[in-house]
């Protein structure tokens, strides 16, 4: 099984969730050259003995989160390669135009805000204490990003959308 999130080239991708459409197309071509791509359900129904005695590699594709680019980019490529996939959708966030973590990543890495300004905003929002500020600012934007992500990820989605 190969698990994907995105088939796109977003402005920033700190978690490496995206594969470019060209690379995804090439990956599917290699999978078809080596074996076959089958639905996840079919793969899961095979017994361990059946999986061990296969003469060719079998691949199943999944996508997590339900990014719009699964439909706008990935489906076209999968159709060209006759490749089925299972897409898992975050139903609790269907009414949101973007996932909060993508908005957050762009704010931190693309907005042009300094690490000091980001830290000050995090303190004002109660996400960071003043005593942590100096060490996180000294660590750079990536360190601050990761620290604030941990502070945000456990919060209710409604709170993050506000």
């Amino acid at each position: 099984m190969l698990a994907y999130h995105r088939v796109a080239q977003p402005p920033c991708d700190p978690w490496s969730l995206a594969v470019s459409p060209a690379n995804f197309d090439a990956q599917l071509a290699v999978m078809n050259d080596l074996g076959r791509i089958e639905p996840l359900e079919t793969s899961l129904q095979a017994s361990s003995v059946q999986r061990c005695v296969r003469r060719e590699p079998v691949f199943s594709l999944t996508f997590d989160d339900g990014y719009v680019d699964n439909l706008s980019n990935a489906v076209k490529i999968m159709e060209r390669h006759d490749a089925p996939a299972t897409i898992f959708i975050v139903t609790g966030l269907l009414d949101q135009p973007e996932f909060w973590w993508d908005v957050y990543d762009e704010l931190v890495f693309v907005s042009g805000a300094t690490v000091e300004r980001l830290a000050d905003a995090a303190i004002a929002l109660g996400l960071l204490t003043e005593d942590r500020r100096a060490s996180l600012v000294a660590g750079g934007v990536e360190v601050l990003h990761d620290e604030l992500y941990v502070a945000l990820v456990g919060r209710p989605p409604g709170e993050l959308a506000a």
Side-chain angles (χ1 to χ4, degrees):
M1 179 177 71
L2 290 107
Y4 291 92
H5 285 268
R6 306 192 66 183
V7 176
Q9 293 181 287
C12 68
D13 188 16
W15 304 110
S16 299
L17 296 179
V19 59
S20 73
N23 284 342
F24 183 62
D25 187 61
Q27 290 169 6
L28 294 185
V30 168
M31 288 179 229
N32 277 325
D33 286 347
L34 294 174
R36 72 176 191 281
I37 304 169
E38 69 181 19
L40 177 62
E41 183 179 348
T42 303
S43 290
L44 294 175
Q45 289 174 350
S47 71
S48 56
V49 172
Q50 289 170 319
R51 286 192 295 267
C52 287
V53 298
R54 288 180 173 153
R55 301 225 185 273
E56 66 179 349
V58 175
F59 304 95
S60 293
L61 308 176
T62 66
F63 288 87
D64 290 340
D65 302 325
Y67 279 92
V68 171
D69 54 67
N70 297 168
L71 177 62
S72 61
N73 296 336
V75 168
K76 292 181 266 187
I77 297 167
M78 290 185 303
E79 286 174 344
R80 276 200 311 273
H81 292 278
D82 195 28
T86 299
I87 299 177
F88 298 99
I89 297 175
V90 181
T91 58
L93 299 176
L94 283 175
D95 61 341
Q96 300 299 312
E98 295 181 272
F99 290 117
W100 70 264
W101 53 85
D102 292 329
V103 174
Y104 169 67
D105 293 342
E106 288 186 30
L107 174 69
V108 172
F109 293 113
V110 180
S111 72
T114 65
V115 67
E116 294 83 6
R117 185 166 179 207
L118 292 167
D120 291 342
I123 291 168
L125 292 169
L127 297 171
L128 181 64
T129 59
E130 187 68 47
D131 61 319
R132 294 279 296 137
R133 183 187 187 281
S135 64
L136 292 172
V137 167
V141 71
E142 290 86 4
V143 171
L144 180 66
H145 171 272
D146 293 353
E147 178 91 7
L148 294 178
Y149 179 84
V150 169
L152 292 168
V153 75
R155 297 195 176 207
E159 186 178 316
L160 296 170

